[in-house]
Amino acid sequence: MAGGWAKDGAVSEQIEASISDELARLKQRKAPQGESLTFCAECDEEIPTARRLAIPGVKLCIDCMSERDTSQKMRAGINRRGSKDSQLK
Ligand SMILES: [Zn+2]
């Protein structure tokens, strides 16, 4: 018998979890080390000190960072899960 006992829902929950794990790890690995910028590399907005302290080597303001995260997430989702995921939403 094929191992078809896992329900679709459980599988996609697992995938969701592993993707956010992976994103968190990617984010940490990709976080630029060294000097933090005072102003966003994308839009020249000042990056809050707390953010600069929290993320060593930060180069983007919150807006640009979340924009970048969103587009990366969407791209990863498309590559990884194909059209099946969009039907679930
Ligand atoms: Zn910015």
Side-chain angles (χ1 to χ4, degrees), residues 22-38:
E22 203 173 307
L23 278 175
R25 235 174 319 171
L26 270 181
K27 219 175 287 177
Q28 284 180 341
R29 202 195 316 151
K30 271 184 5 190
Q33 297 299 312
E35 233 175 300
S36 302
L37 294 182
T38 309

Side-chain angles (χ1 to χ4, degrees), residues 5 9 11 16 20 25 30 37 41 45-47 49-51 53 55 57 62 66 72 80:
W5 42 266
V11 170
E16 292 288 346
S20 44
R25 235 174 319 171
K30 271 184 5 190
L37 294 182
E45 195 79 26
E46 188 172 357
I47 300 170
T49 308
R51 178 169 167 75
L53 292 176
I55 310 172
I62 292 166
S66 64
Q72 278 181 354
R80 223 173 262 268

Side-chain angles (χ1 to χ4, degrees), residues 26-75:
L26 270 181
K27 219 175 287 177
Q28 284 180 341
R29 202 195 316 151
K30 271 184 5 190
Q33 297 299 312
E35 233 175 300
S36 302
L37 294 182
T38 309
F39 297 95
C40 174
E42 295 275 349
C43 69
D44 287 341
E45 195 79 26
E46 188 172 357
I47 300 170
T49 308
R51 178 169 167 75
R52 280 186 273 138
L53 292 176
I55 310 172
V58 67
K59 300 284 193 286
L60 298 172
C61 71
I62 292 166
D63 281 353
C64 292
M65 184 65 88
S66 64
E67 222 169 274
R68 186 172 284 201
D69 278 357
T70 307
S71 58
Q72 278 181 354
K73 217 173 286 179
M74 282 169 57
R75 223 178 298 138

